[in-house]
Amino acid sequence: MAALNQLPPLAVFGRTVSLFPLLFVLSVTAIKDGYEDWRRHRSDRNENNPEALVHQYGKFQFKRWKKIRVGEVVKILANETMPCDMVLLGTSDPSGIAYIQTMNLDGESNLKTRFPLSQSNIILRGCQLMNTEWAVGVVVYAGLETKAMLNSTASPSKRSRLETYMNQETLCLSIFLFVMCLAVAVEMGLWLKRHEEQLDTLPYYRRVYFGEGINHGK
């Protein structure tokens, strides 16, 4: 409607005034979407920027999660979360057992055991080390290749039913308006073609001013 109102033959009211509602709606929507994107970016930054102990240059040094690579040796301390999928190599427990909590993955609060160099020695990203002073493992999957990230799905749309319905109605009305304007434009073009020779005498089009009639009545 705002675009059509910019055309002089179709303008119903001031062309500048018709843009204010559109600009207001677009501005509010842009601010809302920008705020949601900023919150999502902050959440991703908080998820990827924690540090973990990685074996480098002969000793364990802190390294950000997002920079951990496959093949590196990682040391996890008690109550810390696994930054990657890793194969357990050893723990502080004399028997080599590691107790982990998988609540972040499956919602279960009971502790599970992992043994080094066995079929159940893989610890997934998101698990938490419990009742164990430390555990050491080698990274097998990191970043987006971890099982937790591969199983994650896209966040569903937060649009309400009313907003979805209004969007559908707006789309239908826009299509109807476009078709109606197109039909009127085609019909108008055909009419002008048929009455091309009469345009000089028809009102609201062109008027022929004869020399003796310009100052008629003055």
Side-chain angles (χ1 to χ4, degrees):
M1 294 296 293
L4 292 176
N5 198 69
Q6 303 306 307
L7 302 176
L10 302 178
V12 179
F13 44 86
R15 287 180 288 177
T16 304
V17 176
S18 64
L19 294 176
F20 289 158
L22 177 62
L23 294 177
F24 175 76
V25 173
L26 292 178
S27 299
V28 172
T29 303
I31 293 174
K32 180 179 71 68
D33 293 343
Y35 176 70
E36 292 179 354
D37 290 341
W38 174 77
R39 290 184 58 186
R40 184 161 48 250
H41 175 72
R42 184 181 62 178
S43 177
D44 293 341
R45 182 178 57 190
N46 293 337
E47 177 68 20
N48 294 321
N49 282 339
E51 295 181 336
L53 289 172
V54 179
H55 193 267
Q56 302 177 99
Y57 309 109
K59 61 180 180 179
F60 285 98
Q61 300 179 2
F62 284 103
K63 189 176 184 179
R64 296 188 184 278
W65 284 18
K66 62 182 179 181
K67 295 183 178 180
I68 295 178
R69 297 294 179 261
V70 175
E72 294 181 328
V73 177
V74 179
K75 183 177 183 180
I76 307 299
L77 303 180
N79 301 322
E80 288 186 348
T81 302
M82 305 296 166
C84 54
D85 294 352
M86 52 183 281
V87 174
L88 185 63
L89 299 178
T91 69
S92 59
D93 191 281
S95 60
I97 298 177
Y99 297 92
I100 64 170
Q101 188 179 68
T102 60
M103 181 179 295
N104 294 334
L105 300 180
D106 53 21
E108 296 184 7
S109 59
N110 57 307
L111 300 182
K112 298 179 175 61
T113 57
R114 292 292 185 270
F115 299 88
L117 303 178
S118 66
Q119 294 182 351
S120 62
N121 65 337
I122 296 181
I123 305 178
L124 302 179
R125 174 176 176 168
C127 296
Q128 190 174 9
L129 185 66
M130 306 293 292
N131 298 341
T132 307
E133 185 177 350
W134 55 263
V136 176
V138 60
V139 180
V140 291
Y141 296 106
L144 297 177
E145 297 179 351
T146 59
K147 186 175 181 180
M149 297 301 294
L150 292 176
N151 291 338
S152 62
T153 57
S155 57
S157 175
K158 297 181 179 179
R159 299 182 184 275
S160 63
R161 291 184 178 179
L162 177 60
E163 188 175 2
T164 302
Y165 175 77
M166 291 180 61
N167 290 339
Q168 294 175 352
E169 290 295 319
T170 302
L171 179 61
C172 293
L173 290 175
S174 299
I175 295 176
F176 173 76
L177 182 61
F178 174 78
V179 173
M180 184 175 62
C181 292
L182 180 62
V184 171
V186 172
E187 291 293 332
M188 190 64 182
L190 296 176
W191 187 89
L192 291 175
K193 186 66 176 178
R194 289 196 302 267
H195 299 81
E196 184 176 2
E197 298 179 355
Q198 305 175 15
L199 294 181
D200 289 335
T201 59
L202 291 175
Y204 307 112
Y205 286 98
R206 288 178 294 179
R207 178 179 298 177
V208 177
Y209 290 92
F210 298 97
E212 64 274 10
I214 295 178
N215 298 321
H216 180 71
K218 294 185 180 180

